[in-house]
Amino acid sequence: MDKAIRLSRLIILLMALLFPAGLRAHEARPHSMLVLDQSDRRGPFYYQVFSGLRAMVSEHSAAETTIYTESLDLNRFGGERYEEDFRQFLEAKYRDRPIGVVVAIGGATLELVLRWHSKLWPDTPVVFALVEERDFARLRPPPYVTGGIISVKFSDAVKAARAVVPNLATAVVVGADWERQVLFRNWKDEIATRIEGLNVVEIVGRPMAELLDRVATLPGDSAIIYLGVYTDGNGNYFPPSDALAVVAERANRPIVVASETYLGPGGIGGFVIAPTLIGAEAAKSALRILDGENPESIPLSVVDVVKPIFNWQQMERWSVNESNLPSGSEVRFREPSFLEKYRWRAVALGAALLIQAGLIAFLLHERHMRRRAEVESRQRLSELAHINRHATAGELSSSIAHELNQPLGSILTNAESAELILHSKTPDLDEVREIISDIKRDDLRASEVIRRMRSLLKRAPFETTEIDLNQTMREAFDVLSLQASAHNVAFYLQTSAEAPRVKGDPVQLQQVILNLVVNSMDAMAKMPYGRTVIARTEVNGDASAVVSISDSGPGIPQDKLNEIFDPFFTTKEQGMGIGLSIARTIILAHNGQIWAENQSAGGAVFHLSLPLVAQSTLRQLHRV
Ligand code: ADP
């Protein structure tokens, strides 16, 4: 038993010798951190430091970590009395709250924490952040302290100013009193050592009104380097980013800045401190300590939290070329290009245009195909109509022969008479002259018959011209006149007073009239007397010309009024049944209409209407 007690005592002694006090302390180290900073934490900078810290804690802490925060407000308060009061406040406030690690943000904070350490947290390790390397060197922290040192140099600010203003001659340093500057106070010494070829003007610790007047009238080869203004000189304090917005509005030169949070309120950029990275770096070290590591084992390092970042909108304002910026620079607040901004709208518009183009192409193709089909169908129509005309001519052939025979016969008779007169002893030359003129007249009559038949039978493509429908009717009735008298049919043609001008193919339209009149004559063939065909041309308002051809025949059975226009519908023994179907096709090709009716007094009437190109109102009665 004694042996066992002696052994355990030995182990305890060995433990005590082997492990230093710090580590022994950690065995009971509470999982809590007290974060102290030097601001009043109203501005975005410290807010972002804390965001970075909190994000890192919640991301990496296995155990629940309590975070306490205190802002020392050292821009506005200071002095021994303040420090002592604050210390007592902290002592009282955290009396019953064990702290695992103290995090000091900023050089001024670290300075105070070191002074307070022995009284407030003698066994608690300290992690610092946002401490400039010269402050760190001056403070020479003891071994229970670790953290990330930052390096922000005035020479970097000058480098950024030269990128922004290539012919830079003057750097105008704007900020609070050097004493109040918690981050950049070491730049004072750097400025004192003079920079080659650069004139540095300091506007520090001046009232806001004076500052604004001065920054509005700076020379063209200057740039402002903004450190941070915390007061307007009348006892009003504000976050330095708010002050920057006011200065930027009045300044006539670009403003180089050294904090990421100054980019938004009007800074053009520069080598800027990223506050979230500072918070995150501090949290990393603090968590390692809470997890049991010794502060001595976490090496002090210079953390990479300064990056060249520039504001695109300010660059535009001051016509800064992007190629002049230091290498590796990031450009923020870039206005998106039209395509980036309206990407989806542009895509939708493009798609709509594409669909529309496709639709147009499709419609053009359709139109082209329809045109071709129209041309083809007209060609077929011309051919069929030609055949139909031959058939009509066949029907008319006997009367045509008769019509030719008559002048030819009288020519012969007249020639023989002339011959006899000339053979007499005293030929009556006046008589001969008269005979010759008769011969000439008969010859012309025969030629006219042949001309009409030729024009009717010529194979011509479908061609429309502006025509006088009255004229077309007259010519058709001329062709038919002999046939009419041969069949004992009385023709009446009533034409409108003014010519009904339509667009049409005269040969085709003549054929329609021919077909209708021949049909009428056929229908009346069995009637003993009173065979009459009456044709009218009328103008129907401004729109159309209407031709009506009526007969005194038996009419058309009521149920066949539409059927008669069908191809091959015939009631005649020798009929082909294509006359009316061709007539309808021709009229439709002229954008017109054709229809049949029975008259109340008996007989059929065919109407066809055609669009007018000119109007006529009166009607004339012609007896043919
Ligand atoms: P076809 O004259 O060869 O018969 P159509 O197409 O010209 O061919 O006429 C078709 C039919 O319409 C005729 O057979 C006839 O029965 C009827 N028809 C046409 N015109 C008249 C009319 N004026 N009176 C009575 N019937 C008619």
Side-chain angles (χ1 to χ4, degrees):
M1 187 66 188
D2 271 1
K3 239 181 176 180
I5 291 169
R6 267 206 304 274
L7 190 66
S8 65
R9 276 186 188 157
L10 190 70
I11 290 170
I12 291 168
L13 187 72
L14 270 173
M15 290 271 289
L17 285 172
L18 279 172
F19 298 100
L23 188 55
R24 263 182 285 130
H26 97 262
E27 285 162 358
R29 195 166 291 156
H31 229 78
S32 60
M33 57 177 81
L34 171 60
V35 186
L36 298 149
D37 77 281
Q38 56 205 13
S39 76
D40 63 348
R41 218 183 305 151
R42 284 179 303 162
F45 186 88
Y46 286 91
Y47 176 82
Q48 287 189 23
V49 170
F50 275 88
S51 302
L53 182 135
R54 273 184 219 280
M56 185 58 77
V57 168
S58 51
E59 201 179 310
H60 286 278
S61 178
E64 199 56 48
T65 304
T66 306
I67 303 174
Y68 300 106
T69 62
E70 295 295 342
S71 292
L72 304 180
D73 207 353
L74 300 182
N75 292 123
R76 297 191 282 185
F77 300 94
E80 269 176 38
R81 181 74 192 274
Y82 175 70
E83 285 175 24
E84 182 51 24
D85 289 349
F86 212 110
R87 189 194 64 74
Q88 284 175 16
F89 160 73
L90 291 176
E91 190 172 35
K93 184 172 176 182
Y94 295 95
R95 184 173 295 125
D96 303 325
R97 303 294 164 102
I99 303 293
V101 62
V102 173
V103 180
I105 312 279
T109 313
L110 179 62
E111 206 170 331
L112 275 187
V113 166
L114 295 181
R115 282 212 283 273
W116 290 337
H117 191 261
S118 58
K119 284 187 181 161
L120 288 177
W121 319 283
D123 292 325
T124 310
V126 174
V127 169
F128 65 82
L130 196 66
V131 173
E132 218 277 320
E133 53 189 349
R134 267 166 291 191
D135 282 336
F136 176 79
R138 185 167 49 82
L139 293 169
R140 277 181 292 144
Y144 60 82
V145 175
T146 189
I149 302 158
I150 63 163
S151 170
V152 273
K153 295 195 187 81
F154 181 67
S155 58
D156 279 344
V158 173
K159 195 169 155 193
R162 283 197 165 128
V164 169
V165 182
N167 62 337
L168 186 78
T170 307
V172 182
V173 177
V174 169
D177 257 337
W178 287 114
E179 311 316 312
R180 297 249 164 244
Q181 293 290 339
V182 285
L183 253 182
F184 306 109
R185 59 181 166 207
N186 296 313
W187 285 11
K188 190 171 190 247
D189 307 331
E190 215 180 323
I191 291 169
T193 59
R194 278 198 57 84
I195 294 171
E196 186 66 30
L198 184 72
N199 170 35
V200 180
V201 174
E202 292 179 28
I203 312 180
V204 290
R206 305 310 307 161
M208 185 58 103
E210 182 194 328
L211 171 62
L212 294 181
D213 281 348
R214 290 182 65 183
V215 294
T217 53
L218 297 175
D221 53 4
S222 66
I224 296 167
I225 295 176
Y226 181 78
L227 309 179
V229 175
Y230 303 94
T231 168
D232 63 0
N234 296 323
N236 296 318
Y237 290 89
F238 34 68
S241 53
D242 289 7
L244 172 58
V246 179
V247 173
E249 214 176 87
R250 289 288 296 278
N252 70 338
R253 297 303 302 150
I255 304 171
V256 170
V257 292
S259 165
E260 194 184 4
T261 50
Y262 291 163
L263 281 167
I268 197 166
F271 290 85
V272 298
I273 303 168
T276 46
L277 294 181
I278 287 170
E281 286 293 333
K284 270 192 223 165
S285 303
L287 287 169
R288 283 172 70 177
I289 288 168
L290 291 182
D291 287 345
E293 274 189 61
N294 237 330
E296 291 100 325
S297 65
I298 302 173
L300 292 159
S301 59
V302 176
V303 287
D304 183 20
V305 292
V306 175
K307 312 230 173 277
I309 305 176
F310 291 83
N311 179 336
W312 185 83
Q313 281 164 11
Q314 291 292 327
M315 284 166 64
E316 288 286 293
R317 180 180 167 194
W318 301 107
S319 312
V320 174
N321 197 331
E322 199 172 333
S323 62
N324 285 351
L325 300 184
S327 64
S329 291
E330 183 190 333
V331 177
R332 291 210 186 144
F333 311 116
R334 202 187 285 273
E335 212 142 79
S337 67
F338 177 81
L339 260 185
E340 287 165 340
K341 209 168 170 182
Y342 301 106
R343 191 190 195 91
W344 291 113
R345 266 179 262 182
V347 167
L349 192 75
L353 283 177
L354 219 67
I355 292 168
Q356 199 182 37
L359 210 66
I360 289 170
F362 173 73
L363 289 175
L364 284 176
H365 177 72
E366 280 287 288
R367 188 163 173 264
H368 175 73
M369 295 303 283
R370 210 177 50 237
R371 274 275 167 88
R372 248 176 63 173
E374 262 172 30
V375 169
E376 268 178 26
S377 84
R378 279 185 181 183
Q379 216 169 329
R380 299 279 161 273
L381 173 70
S382 297
E383 283 166 15
L384 202 60
H386 187 70
I387 294 166
N388 180 239
R389 281 200 298 275
H390 270 281
T392 315
E395 275 182 52
L396 301 177
S397 58
S398 59
S399 52
I400 291 163
H402 178 74
E403 202 171 349
L404 278 178
N405 261 342
Q406 246 192 354
L408 289 177
S410 56
I411 286 169
L412 186 65
T413 315
N414 278 327
E416 283 170 353
S417 308
E419 209 172 27
L420 283 174
I421 292 168
L422 289 172
H423 278 115
S424 71
K425 281 185 189 151
T426 51
D428 185 349
L429 289 181
D430 285 340
E431 179 90 34
V432 173
R433 270 188 211 104
E434 211 171 289
I435 290 172
I436 289 172
S437 101
D438 283 351
I439 290 173
K440 270 169 72 183
R441 191 200 60 224
D442 288 334
D443 184 83
L444 285 174
R445 214 174 124 195
S447 307
E448 177 61 19
V449 172
I450 291 165
R451 188 197 64 78
R452 269 192 251 136
M453 288 318 291
R454 269 212 183 130
S455 83
L456 187 67
L457 292 174
K458 75 177 174 196
R459 182 194 286 267
F462 185 93
E463 258 170 26
T464 57
T465 52
E466 197 178 310
I467 53 168
D468 174 1
L469 210 51
N470 286 346
Q471 179 64 25
T472 311
M473 290 287 277
R474 273 183 218 116
E475 280 179 14
F477 274 76
D478 277 347
V479 171
L480 290 161
S481 58
L482 203 74
Q483 177 97 336
S485 54
H487 286 82
N488 237 339
V489 175
F491 275 0
Y492 293 92
L493 174 60
Q494 301 172 340
T495 52
S496 55
E498 272 178 59
R501 304 204 71 84
V502 297
K503 262 201 128 204
D505 182 324
V507 178
Q508 307 272 17
L509 290 176
Q510 233 177 59
Q511 182 178 356
V512 173
I513 295 152
L514 238 69
N515 284 357
L516 297 180
V517 176
V518 167
N519 273 347
S520 288
M521 290 198 294
D522 284 351
M524 296 184 297
K526 284 188 183 153
M527 289 176 57
Y529 53 85
R531 300 171 188 167
T532 314
V533 171
I534 301 172
R536 283 194 183 93
T537 58
E538 298 175 279
V539 170
N540 192 2
D542 288 351
S544 58
V546 178
V547 174
S548 311
I549 294 171
S550 59
D551 61 48
S552 54
I556 304 156
Q558 204 61 27
D559 59 326
K560 299 281 188 272
L561 279 173
N562 288 324
E563 224 175 304
I564 54 170
F565 292 98
D566 291 346
F568 309 115
F569 176 87
T570 183
T571 54
K572 299 171 196 167
E573 259 176 45
Q574 304 296 321
M576 283 167 69
I578 58 164
L580 287 181
S581 112
I582 285 177
R584 186 177 61 176
T585 313
I586 290 172
I587 295 304
L588 290 180
H590 283 79
N591 299 319
Q593 284 175 310
I594 183 166
W595 66 101
E597 288 173 337
N598 284 313
Q599 303 178 96
S600 50
V605 56
F606 284 80
H607 304 280
L608 52 96
S609 78
L610 293 167
L612 267 183
V613 290
Q615 86 179 80
S616 56
T617 46
L618 296 171
R619 201 184 326 135
Q620 257 183 348
L621 184 65
H622 285 272
R623 173 85 213 275
V624 181

